[in-house]
Amino acid sequence: MSALDALDFALLRALSEDATQSAGALGRQLGLSQPATWRRIKRLQEAGILAGRKLELDKEKLGFGVTVFLGVKLAAKGRVSLEDFERAVSAIPEVQTVEHVLGMYDYRLRVTARDISDFERVLRRRVMTLPGVGNVEANVLLSEERRPGPLG
């Protein structure tokens, strides 16, 4: 794919704010026709830059009022494979993201729960029983500010 131009970046910014917009609506914002906008979107998809569109659910309205970030240090890296840990932790429905990181911990998990006692249940009965889990540190999310990302 050739280099991205200013219109490509503007299109990506508009889609990052609201990925449900039609090509016609995006074109009106950017001063392009609907077909020209659609061709740009298609080109960005084919290049793998636009990898999909996400549905975002309101966790609180669904009854999940607590989000906790867990730092997980594996106890013995030689005895348990990273793939085994990743497979086991990914099977826990309350675990929303699993990130393999470099630093004090081996993994960073985003866990959602109905309340603190529900989180404690998930921690004790599911996370702490995973293969290879050593140290775990929890940080409760108080508030979250959405950032537009590198295109903003």
Side-chain angles (χ1 to χ4, degrees), residues 92-125:
I92 301 172
E94 293 87 356
V95 175
Q96 301 299 299
T97 59
V98 177
E99 300 169 335
H100 189 201
V101 296
L102 180 63
M104 184 183 299
Y105 294 98
D106 298 310
Y107 287 91
R108 181 173 177 262
L109 312 178
R110 183 182 182 119
V111 179
T112 58
R114 297 192 182 285
D115 52 32
I116 291 294
S117 63
D118 186 39
F119 167 72
E120 182 181 11
R121 177 191 60 78
V122 171
L123 180 64
R124 285 181 181 221
R125 294 186 186 164

Side-chain angles (χ1 to χ4, degrees), residues 44-56:
L44 292 167
Q45 288 172 329
E46 289 170 355
I49 294 168
L50 277 178
R53 298 182 189 195
K54 275 171 118 173
L55 174 66
E56 190 172 323

Side-chain angles (χ1 to χ4, degrees), residues 1 28-30 36 55 77-78 92 105 110 117 127:
M1 176 177 183
R28 285 189 292 280
Q29 286 180 44
L30 303 174
L55 174 66
K77 291 181 183 144
I92 301 172
Y105 294 98
R110 183 182 182 119
S117 63
V127 175

Side-chain angles (χ1 to χ4, degrees), residues 1-52:
M1 176 177 183
S2 61
L4 299 178
D5 63 17
L7 281 173
D8 290 326
F9 282 109
L11 178 59
L12 291 170
R13 274 191 297 278
L15 284 169
S16 71
E17 290 171 11
D18 181 3
T20 65
Q21 297 179 79
S22 69
L26 289 163
R28 285 189 292 280
Q29 286 180 44
L30 303 174
L32 296 171
S33 68
Q34 185 271 341
T37 304
W38 177 246
R39 281 192 300 273
R40 282 180 181 266
I41 291 171
K42 188 78 172 148
R43 185 171 45 87
L44 292 167
Q45 288 172 329
E46 289 170 355
I49 294 168
L50 277 178

Side-chain angles (χ1 to χ4, degrees), residues 63-104:
F64 295 93
V66 173
T67 298
V68 180
F69 294 100
L70 291 180
V72 177
K73 182 82 171 165
L74 297 182
K77 291 181 183 144
R79 288 188 286 165
V80 113
S81 76
L82 299 178
E83 293 81 18
D84 289 342
F85 174 81
E86 290 169 5
R87 189 174 18 265
V89 77
S90 296
I92 301 172
E94 293 87 356
V95 175
Q96 301 299 299
T97 59
V98 177
E99 300 169 335
H100 189 201
V101 296
L102 180 63
M104 184 183 299

